[in-house]
């Protein structure tokens, strides 16, 4: 059941296949519940990929070096978040 | 045979010897030049460009003409630099310059300091010229437009840090895509050198690993303000970028050449940010849709099975059993009960299982996840604030303590009790011994307030 999920694209593809199978196929109850659980796993994986990261704002100078954006830029956004 | 025509001088009225004054060609040319230059040292002349040639040296040679005359003209590199449009044959212009003589060829010409298109603005002419050029190079072709990535790993932004554009972009991204990774290359977006900076920024970001899309733009302004985005270097940089570029210049109504070359034109910087996050939102809603469809179909399936099971238990074959067994005593009654409750137990165990799975599905719905994350962040924030306040207070009381102790040790504290410090004349040492000064030496005495400059008049 805990089959490995490699990447976002294949996860969403598999999820689509599962939905199609569930909607159309003549499955046993056991089979459909197994598919359902797999589907839940996949959709959780996709959400995690989309949500689990921190916002990062950086500056890139002419030499290609990165530095964090000045507080003046990010401050306003944090205020905006709280509002 | 015709006689060769006679030259009009020499024979009929010979010049009188005394008044004859012969000058050299160069002397005469110099005189003519002086006359022309002093008479026409600043003229405005209108005409059509012809024989226009830009030399490798950077100087521009051309003629100004109307239907009856033409005037040779030159514009030196130092002035050509400031031309906002490309001088082309047939263009009607107004030129400002001075008339001079090119002595080696005996030609008079106008040296132009300034050229402007006649009837329309220089910028408009430049815009039209470059637009034609870019179009014939195929840069506006629809099949060049690349699709935007659904999930850009990093979003590159080329704009000024001072303008409204960066704020608008960041505000939208932080609201609609709280996990975005944004990489900004700050540039000037107007004035000298702006176009070069914007062009370089686009190509730099396009070569930066993990940057999957670039937003280049600025807020609204006049045609001159937006001009960098009409420059060829910027348009070419957009076309050459290896990742899709969204142009976001000015307001809805401003259309620049950058907009035409870009893979996507956003009417405003905020809109550019919205366009970038649209892919992610599309994915989120697709996943939610799939989850709902999946749940719906499983619930449906379970419902159908349960209905069928109930139907079966009501069939006369089974339903009649209790009655048929009724007469056979208590033992059979128990069997009947066991049978019917087993019938009920089957669907309810399935339902329990469905319930469990459903609540797991609910738990991963984005809204709930966001709520949970937000609560976590707020809690962490509160704790951080409390911890910071506590720490600050501890530091403050330590500082107060140290300051009090310093006060006791300070020489100023001693002075305020009436003691004073006495320095030698060159202030290299505090005097502790009367032998270290001689009568007549100067000393400085520091009191709690102010200082005295003294001379030693006696010693004990």
């Amino acid at each position: 059941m805990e089959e490995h999920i490699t990447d976002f694209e294949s996860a969403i593809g598999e999820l689509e296949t599962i939905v199609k199978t569930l909607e159309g196929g003549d499955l046993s109850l056991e089979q459909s519940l197994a598919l359902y659980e797999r589907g839940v796993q996949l959709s959780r994986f996709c959400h995690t990929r989309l949500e689990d990261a921190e916002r990062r704002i950086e500056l890139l100078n002419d030499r290609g070096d990165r530095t964090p954006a000045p507080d003046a830029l990010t401050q306003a956004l944090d205020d905006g978040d709280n509002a | 045979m015709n006689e060769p025509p006679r030259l009009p001088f020499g024979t009929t009225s010979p010049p009188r010897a005394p008044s004859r004054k012969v000058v050299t060609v160069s002397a005469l040319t110099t005189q003519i030049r002086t006359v022309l230059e002093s008479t026409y040292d600043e003229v405005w002349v209108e005409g059509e460009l012809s024989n226009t040639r830009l030399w490798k040296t950077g100087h521009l040679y051309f003629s100004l003409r109307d239907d009856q005359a033409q005037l040779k003209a030159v514009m030196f590199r130092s002035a050509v630099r400031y031309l906002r449009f490309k001088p082309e044959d047939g263009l009607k212009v107004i030129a400002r310059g001075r008339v001079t003589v090119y002595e080696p060829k005996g030609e008079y010409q106008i040296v132009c300091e300034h050229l402007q298109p006649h009837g329309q603005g220089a910028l408009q002419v430049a815009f039209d010229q470059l637009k034609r050029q870019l179009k014939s190079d195929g840069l506006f072709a629809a099949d060049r437009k690349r699709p935007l990535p659904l999930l850009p790993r990093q979003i590159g932004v080329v704009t000024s840090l001072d303008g409204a554009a960066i704020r608008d972009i960041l505000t939208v991204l932080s609201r609609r895509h709280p996990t975005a990774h944004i990489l900004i290359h700050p540039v000037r977006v107007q004035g000298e050198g702006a176009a070069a900076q914007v062009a370089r920024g686009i190509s730099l970001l396009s070569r930066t690993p993990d940057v999957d899309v670039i937003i280049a733009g600025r807020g609204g302004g006049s045609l001159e303000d937006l001009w960098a985005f009409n420059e060829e270097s910027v348009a070419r940089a957009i076309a050459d970028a290896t990742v899709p570029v969204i142009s976001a210049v000015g307001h809805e109504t401003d259309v620049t050449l950058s907009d035409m070359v870009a893979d996507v034109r956003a009417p405003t910087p905020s809109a550019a940010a919205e366009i970038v996050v649209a892919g992610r939102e599309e994915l989120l809603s697709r996943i939610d849709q799939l989850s709902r469809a999946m749940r719906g179909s499983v619930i449906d399936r379970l419902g159908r099975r349960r209905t069928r099971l109930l139907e079966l238990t009501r069939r006369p074959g089974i339903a009649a059993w209790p009655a048929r067994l009724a007469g056979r005593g208590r033992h059979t009654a128990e069997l009947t009960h066991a049978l019917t409750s087993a019938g009920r137990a089957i669907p309810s165990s399935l339902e329990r299982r469905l319930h469990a799975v459903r609540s797991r599905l609910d738990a991963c719905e984005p809204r709930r996840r966001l709520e949970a994350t937000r609560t976590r962040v707020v809690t962490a924030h509160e704790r951080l604030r409390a911890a910071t306040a506590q720490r600050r207070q501890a530091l403050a009381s330590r500082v107060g303590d140290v300051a009090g102790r310093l006060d006791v040790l300070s020489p100023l504290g001693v002075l305020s009790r009436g003691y004073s410090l006495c320095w030698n004349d060159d202030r290299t040492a505090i005097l502790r011994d009367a032998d270290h000064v001689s009568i007549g030496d100067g000393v400085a005495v520091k009191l709690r307030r102010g200082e005295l400059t003294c001379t030693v008049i006696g010693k004990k």
Side-chain angles (χ1 to χ4, degrees):
Chain A
M1 212 32 225
E2 288 292 323
E3 204 182 316
H4 190 58
I5 306 172
T6 47
D7 66 299
F8 189 88
E9 283 304 314
S10 65
I12 203 164
E14 194 183 340
L15 188 56
E16 277 166 332
T17 314
I18 285 175
V19 169
K20 237 175 260 166
T21 316
L22 279 175
E23 281 172 345
D26 192 16
L27 300 164
S28 75
L29 204 54
E30 284 303 316
Q31 281 173 314
S32 62
L33 281 175
L35 280 178
Y36 185 66
E37 282 182 34
R38 173 66 176 166
V40 169
Q41 216 178 54
L42 290 164
S43 100
R44 183 179 298 168
F45 171 86
C46 291
H47 266 299
T48 307
R49 270 301 171 86
L50 291 176
E51 310 278 0
D52 282 9
E54 268 181 61
R55 182 176 68 215
R56 274 171 76 185
I57 304 178
E58 296 173 309
L59 299 187
L60 184 73
N61 68 13
D62 286 340
R63 289 191 308 280
D65 303 326
R66 294 164 182 256
T67 49
D71 288 345
L73 267 189
T74 53
Q75 203 80 60
L77 301 181
D78 293 338
D79 292 351
D81 282 354
N82 294 338
Chain B
M1 281 289 272
N2 288 338
E3 265 190 288
R6 282 176 176 272
L7 292 173
F9 35 73
T11 51
T12 49
S13 56
R16 278 166 297 173
S19 70
R20 183 155 84 177
K21 189 182 165 206
V22 178
V23 295
T24 62
V25 171
S26 24
L28 180 59
T29 304
T30 305
Q31 276 176 32
I32 291 171
R33 175 180 173 164
T34 311
V35 170
L36 281 180
E37 284 186 352
S38 58
T39 314
Y40 304 107
D41 68 332
E42 182 176 305
V43 290
W44 291 80
V45 53
E46 112 179 41
E48 195 181 293
L49 292 178
S50 71
N51 299 321
T52 310
R53 281 179 62 198
L54 185 64
W55 284 41
K56 283 204 187 93
T57 51
H59 308 318
L60 180 74
Y61 293 87
F62 55 100
S63 298
L64 287 170
R65 59 191 292 178
D66 54 25
D67 36 5
Q68 278 152 49
Q70 61 173 305
L71 172 64
K72 281 196 179 292
V74 61
M75 187 171 206
F76 292 119
R77 189 177 51 192
S78 52
V80 171
R81 271 196 316 146
Y82 295 105
L83 282 182
R84 300 304 281 279
F85 64 100
K86 198 168 132 216
E88 288 174 330
D89 285 355
L91 198 63
K92 290 204 165 48
V93 295
I94 294 177
R96 174 170 58 78
R98 59 193 162 83
V99 175
T100 181
V101 173
Y102 182 57
E103 296 177 12
K105 284 198 159 180
E107 289 175 352
Y108 73 97
Q109 60 180 3
I110 179 167
V111 177
C112 295
E113 264 110 47
H114 179 72
L115 266 187
Q116 66 190 56
H118 186 40
Q120 47 185 340
L123 292 183
Q124 190 57 47
V125 170
F127 182 92
D128 294 340
Q129 286 172 338
L130 185 55
K131 185 175 165 186
R132 265 202 309 277
Q133 178 66 49
L134 296 176
K135 187 170 186 178
S136 79
D137 291 351
L139 264 54
F140 302 154
D143 58 8
R144 289 191 85 261
K145 311 281 181 204
R146 294 161 288 198
L148 300 181
L150 286 177
L151 279 179
R153 284 165 297 177
Q154 293 180 23
I155 301 163
V157 180
V158 180
T159 192
S160 157
L161 289 189
D162 306 320
I166 188 64
R167 261 167 208 291
D168 292 349
I169 289 171
L170 291 179
T171 305
V172 171
L173 286 182
S174 71
R175 181 162 45 86
R176 302 273 304 272
H177 186 351
T179 62
H181 187 164
I182 305 156
L183 188 58
I184 306 164
H185 181 71
V187 291
R188 298 189 58 173
V189 290
Q190 66 191 71
E192 189 77 29
Q197 287 190 15
V198 173
R200 201 176 47 209
I202 291 169
S203 96
L204 181 69
L205 277 170
S206 116
R207 281 182 278 113
T208 303
D210 293 349
V211 171
D212 291 329
V213 64
I214 297 170
I215 300 175
R218 54 154 294 146
S222 66
L223 182 58
E224 282 79 11
D225 291 342
L226 306 184
W227 194 252
F229 294 89
N230 282 326
E231 296 263 13
E232 184 165 9
S233 57
V234 173
R236 300 259 179 217
I238 292 174
D240 292 342
T242 53
V243 297
V245 177
I246 303 175
S247 76
V249 184
H251 301 302
E252 181 88 48
T253 49
D254 304 318
V255 179
T256 62
L257 295 174
S258 294
D259 290 328
M260 297 181 202
V261 179
D263 297 280
V264 173
R265 180 210 166 208
T268 62
S270 310
E274 304 267 358
I275 289 168
V276 162
V277 299
R280 176 176 172 275
E281 289 178 353
E282 192 185 301
L283 278 176
L284 275 171
S285 86
R286 210 164 113 206
I287 293 163
D288 288 347
Q289 218 178 332
L290 286 172
S291 299
R292 266 199 304 279
M294 189 172 70
R295 191 162 50 171
S297 110
V298 171
I299 289 171
D300 198 37
R301 191 175 298 269
L302 281 175
R304 280 204 308 272
R305 304 278 159 119
R306 196 163 78 149
T307 313
R308 214 175 130 215
L309 197 55
L310 283 174
E311 270 169 23
L312 282 174
T313 57
R314 284 193 196 116
R315 288 269 186 86
I318 292 176
W321 267 92
R324 283 169 65 185
L325 293 173
R328 306 215 174 178
R330 199 159 165 259
H331 184 60
T332 42
E334 276 168 7
L335 272 177
T336 313
H337 181 72
L339 187 63
T340 44
S341 58
R344 259 184 245 115
I346 294 169
S348 74
S349 86
L350 286 175
E351 239 174 340
R352 263 204 309 281
R353 205 159 145 199
L354 173 67
H355 215 74
V357 177
R358 200 195 294 182
S359 61
R360 277 168 62 189
L361 186 66
D362 284 344
C364 65
E365 264 180 25
R367 204 162 299 121
R368 292 196 187 202
R369 289 177 57 79
L370 282 179
E371 285 302 326
T373 311
R374 192 165 297 142
T375 313
R376 265 172 57 205
V377 169
V378 169
T379 313
H381 193 76
E382 287 305 324
R383 281 169 55 198
L384 183 67
R385 189 148 55 190
T388 314
Q390 210 174 358
R391 174 105 183 106
R392 193 186 301 140
Q393 209 168 3
L395 280 174
S397 85
R398 258 178 72 196
V399 168
D401 189 34
V402 171
R405 280 156 61 194
L406 267 179
D407 215 30
V408 173
L409 293 173
S410 163
L412 296 178
V414 179
L415 294 180
S416 70
R417 290 201 293 277
Y419 294 91
S420 54
L421 287 168
C422 185
W423 297 79
N424 63 358
D425 206 11
D426 48 7
R427 284 178 174 268
T428 50
I430 289 173
L431 297 173
R432 293 185 175 80
D433 191 333
D435 288 343
H436 292 167
V437 286
S438 315
I439 306 269
D441 281 356
V443 296
V445 177
K446 183 163 173 52
L447 308 173
R448 174 173 168 258
R449 200 176 294 129
E451 217 178 279
L452 306 172
T453 309
C454 311
T455 309
V456 178
I457 54 171
K459 293 209 298 185
K460 284 181 197 161

